[in-house]
Amino acid sequence: MKTLYAVLAATAVGAARLVQSERQNRQRLALHAEEMHQVWLSEVASDPELRAMWTAPGEPPAEEYARLLHCNRLISFLSVKYRVGLLDTASLRIQARWVMEREVGRAYWTTFGAFREKEAMDRTDRSFNTIMADEHAALVDAGTVAT
């Protein structure tokens, strides 16, 4: 009977290690994907030819679109930090409030918030979007002056 308990304990420990390893691997992949996304956003924001290529009809003019891309860099960075656990809900809310206190943050969310909600993959994305939308709504409703 002692052997059975030892085998069960070893199996449980092994399974826990596999779960933890998989979680860490997903976190590394998310951070690496964000790194590539940041480079791409930087290139599009700074290169007028690329920006023109990726600006869809009806999107803001080139200069405004470049500003929104820079804001997207920050929001995407916050999103991945939240996903991998480097920001908890309270910390994210503080960061979201800071972003939405700026005119560019509110303009970004007004323009692309619905898109981010459509592309949300899971509960983490939906939670992130809800916090961002709540802070956006709070500051828009309060009639915040651009800082």
Side-chain angles (χ1 to χ4, degrees), residues 11 47 55 85-86 88-89 134:
T11 301
D47 184 331
T55 303
L86 297 175
D88 62 11
T89 300
D134 288 349

Side-chain angles (χ1 to χ4, degrees), residues 2-49:
K2 288 183 181 183
T3 304
L4 177 62
Y5 290 132
V7 169
L8 288 174
T11 301
V13 169
R17 285 185 180 165
L18 284 173
V19 168
Q20 180 65 19
S21 177
E22 176 60 24
R23 181 174 178 234
Q24 289 173 338
N25 188 48
R26 277 184 274 136
Q27 289 174 331
R28 275 192 298 276
L29 289 172
L31 291 169
H32 183 63
E34 179 60 18
E35 182 180 5
M36 291 185 304
H37 186 239
Q38 289 290 327
V39 169
W40 184 78
L41 285 173
S42 179
E43 289 173 0
V44 172
S46 63
D47 184 331
E49 190 175 316

Side-chain angles (χ1 to χ4, degrees), residues 32-126:
H32 183 63
E34 179 60 18
E35 182 180 5
M36 291 185 304
H37 186 239
Q38 289 290 327
V39 169
W40 184 78
L41 285 173
S42 179
E43 289 173 0
V44 172
S46 63
D47 184 331
E49 190 175 316
L50 280 175
R51 196 168 49 247
M53 183 185 332
W54 289 105
T55 303
E59 287 185 342
E63 288 300 313
E64 177 64 13
Y65 190 60
R67 288 174 15 105
L68 296 177
L69 285 173
H70 284 295
C71 187
N72 187 15
R73 291 182 73 191
L74 175 59
I75 290 175
S76 294
F77 179 62
L78 293 175
S79 175
V80 78
K81 283 178 68 175
Y82 183 65
R83 173 164 296 285
V84 301
L86 297 175
L87 285 177
D88 62 11
T89 300
S91 297
L92 174 59
R93 193 164 294 283
I94 291 166
Q95 294 293 314
R97 173 63 56 121
W98 185 88
V99 170
M100 296 305 168
E101 285 174 343
R102 276 102 189 121
E103 182 277 327
V104 69
R106 294 187 305 278
Y108 173 85
W109 200 260
T110 297
T111 304
F112 296 112
F115 176 75
R116 290 188 74 94
E117 289 175 13
K118 284 181 193 175
E119 73 172 352
M121 294 185 332
D122 57 19
R123 180 179 48 188
T124 302
D125 287 343
R126 287 188 293 277

